[in-house]
Amino acid sequence: PQTTTHKKRTPASAPQSRFRVLGSDVQDTLSGLVWRRCSHGTEWNGKDRCVGKIAYLGLDAEMSAAPDGWRVPSGPELESIGDVDCGSPVVDQSVFPDIRPDEEGHAKYWTTNAMGTLDLYWNFDFVDGHPDGNSRGVQLAVRFVRTKP
């Protein structure tokens, strides 16, 4: 008989052990990066969720909106917080609670990595876990990151 091994999934109430929750931020203990728990436009309510409306802006506007010390992540940085074992969205929602599909069924987030020669920039879709490219003016979400706690 064939046997199947399943990875134990993290309960929705317990963050993955690699993330250390710091109130409205989380530190990735593997990379050392510190992430905002909430997407740009929303704020941590101090308890269990992000409140407000996610800001969907072009890449240049998102880069300009980054608070002091924060920035739009690179592609590999952003993809590193994804976890396909979480299902869809492919992220631990006890750590990043506001990632949800938009009207088109995507949760695309900007990165700063150029893609090819057509002035496209890489984004990551947390619904299906796949990267894509868009022009800088397309309005997507962003999750800010910094390198020091």
Side-chain angles (χ1 to χ4, degrees):
Q2 188 177 20
T3 59
T4 305
T5 305
H6 295 280
K7 278 186 164 181
K8 184 178 177 187
R9 294 183 67 171
T10 304
S13 61
Q16 294 173 340
S17 60
R18 70 181 270 189
F19 294 106
R20 187 176 72 169
V21 176
L22 307 167
S24 62
D25 305 328
V26 292
Q27 182 174 27
D28 183 337
T29 60
L30 296 178
S31 68
L33 294 171
V34 177
W35 295 90
R36 298 299 307 257
R37 291 187 79 179
C38 300
S39 303
H40 176 226
T42 65
E43 294 291 328
W44 182 245
N45 73 352
K47 298 177 186 174
D48 59 356
R49 69 179 62 107
C50 301
V51 294
K53 187 174 179 181
I54 295 173
Y56 294 96
L57 301 171
L59 179 57
D60 294 331
E62 291 285 21
M63 291 170 72
S64 295
D68 285 342
W70 296 89
R71 60 184 171 76
V72 176
S74 72
E77 287 171 338
L78 187 62
E79 190 172 7
S80 77
I81 66 171
D83 183 352
V84 295
D85 289 339
C86 291
S88 181
V90 293
V91 68
D92 184 338
Q93 291 201 288
S94 69
V95 177
F96 305 107
D98 68 340
I99 294 180
R100 57 191 167 271
D102 62 16
E103 306 82 39
E104 297 176 3
H106 302 286
K108 292 185 175 187
Y109 281 69
W110 278 118
T111 79
T112 56
N113 287 80
M115 182 179 195
T117 58
L118 299 175
D119 199 32
L120 297 179
Y121 281 77
W122 199 78
N123 63 72
F124 186 76
D125 187 346
F126 282 101
V127 170
D128 63 16
H130 292 101
D132 195 8
N134 284 99
S135 62
R136 298 172 79 102
V138 171
Q139 296 185 341
L140 303 177
V142 75
R143 180 162 315 279
F144 294 123
V145 66
R146 65 181 180 190
T147 52
K148 295 183 179 182

